[in-house]
Structure formats: C-alpha cells, structure tokens
Amino acid sequence: METKANYVAVGIFTLVALAVAFAFVYWTATRGDFAEAADLRIRIVGSASGIGRGSAVLFNGVRVGEVKRVFIDLDHPNQAVADTQVDRSTPITKSTQADIGIGGLTGPSSIDLRGGDPNEPSLFDLADEAGTTAEITARPSAVSNLLESAQGIFTKADEVLSGLDSFVKEVRDPLKDT
C-alpha cells in the first residue's frame, strides 16, 4: 500500500470534475425548456393584471412558453402587450384564441391559448415570410369582466337606494301628520 498520495493527480482530478460540473449546469441553464423557441406578441385589451415576466403561456393546458416582458402600447393605451417565447412546434394559427387565465386565488395569471384550425398555416411561418413577429389578440379576462359587471351592479344599486332614500324623506312628514 502506498503511504504517499499523489497530490498533483488528486488536484487535477478535482479541477476537471468541478469544470465538468460547471459546464453541465451552464449547458442545462442555457438550453431552456423549449427546443426551438419563437417570439409571439400577445395584445391584451383591458387589464393585464397578474401577467408578468415568467408567467406561463399554456396551449390547451400544456405549458409551451413564458412571458418575457409586459408593457403598455403607447399607440393604444387601452392595450397591454406581452412579448412571449413559445415552442415553435405549437400549432398557433390565425383562429387560435387567447385568454388571460386565473392562477388561483393568489397565484400568478397565465396566458391560455386554445383551438386553432390545423388546416391553416402556422402563425410563425406567416410572420417569418412577412419579416415580422407573430401576433395574436387576447380576449379580456373573466375576472376583469366580472369586476366591470359588479361595478355596474353596485352603481345601479346605489342609484336605487338613493332614490328610495329621497322618497322616504319626502313622505316622512305627511305620514307623521296622518
């Protein structure tokens, strides 16, 4: 049995092992989740509440991409724009519908894509031919619609209660006299 360790060989082996480990971590981090990603711009009419960098893009419930940034369209201030990267093999066509999905009570929102006619050409192919970014418009979220409806209902209820209050004030004195 050898009593002297070869410190140079042990040191070189350690350095090589660390370099391989770092290279593997770097490779997995840069490779990403999606084999070939494509840019997809999603216009959101109304509120984009809950959508932010890293929010999921789902196609029929399957995660196919993520949001890279969200900003206000300066030409159309009532619209927010979400720039996303999605898997290029996702069958997104002109008839694909986009919605803002709810991620639970406190969870982040997501962009839900669904449908699309498989006989139509891919939106990514059309954008490549035109030299632009593929773009789709999302419908307003169900939560936004619900909040707007609730606000309308509360406004009408306030008007009715105000009218009832003024009616009661008007008939109070004649009722007392009677």
Side-chain angles (χ1 to χ4, degrees):
M1 211 155 56
E2 189 175 315
T3 57
K4 284 186 167 183
N6 191 348
Y7 295 112
V8 173
V10 170
I12 290 173
F13 175 77
T14 304
L15 290 175
V16 168
L18 284 173
V20 168
F22 279 120
F24 177 75
V25 169
Y26 178 77
W27 176 72
T28 57
T30 57
R31 183 173 177 267
D33 294 337
F34 314 109
E36 186 179 345
D39 292 330
L40 176 65
R41 178 165 282 173
I42 300 174
R43 294 193 168 278
I44 303 165
V45 179
S47 175
S49 180
I51 298 292
R53 185 181 189 121
S55 293
V57 178
L58 307 173
F59 188 87
N60 291 339
V62 177
R63 184 180 176 112
V64 294
E66 67 180 26
V67 175
K68 293 299 178 189
R69 72 181 187 134
V70 179
F71 60 96
I72 300 295
D73 185 357
L74 298 178
D75 296 330
H76 303 91
N78 65 333
Q79 293 181 4
V81 178
D83 283 339
T84 66
Q85 276 195 327
V86 297
D87 187 355
R88 189 173 187 84
S89 64
T90 306
I92 298 174
T93 62
K94 286 184 178 183
S95 60
T96 300
Q97 295 177 349
D99 294 307
I100 305 301
I102 304 167
L105 260 140
T106 59
S109 297
S110 62
I111 297 175
D112 296 332
L113 304 171
R114 76 172 83 71
D117 186 0
N119 297 324
E120 292 179 346
S122 168
L123 210 55
F124 302 122
D125 294 339
L126 294 174
D128 288 346
E129 288 173 10
T132 61
T133 302
E135 190 171 301
I136 192 168
T137 301
R139 296 184 296 186
S141 71
V143 173
S144 295
N145 291 339
L146 184 64
L147 291 175
E148 287 178 23
S149 298
Q151 186 175 8
I153 290 170
F154 289 136
T155 301
K156 290 186 188 289
D158 186 45
E159 291 172 2
V160 169
L161 290 175
S162 296
L164 185 62
D165 186 43
S166 64
F167 174 74
V168 169
K169 286 181 182 176
E170 286 178 21
V171 297
R172 178 178 286 158
D173 290 335
L175 282 176
K176 278 185 181 178
D177 292 342
T178 304

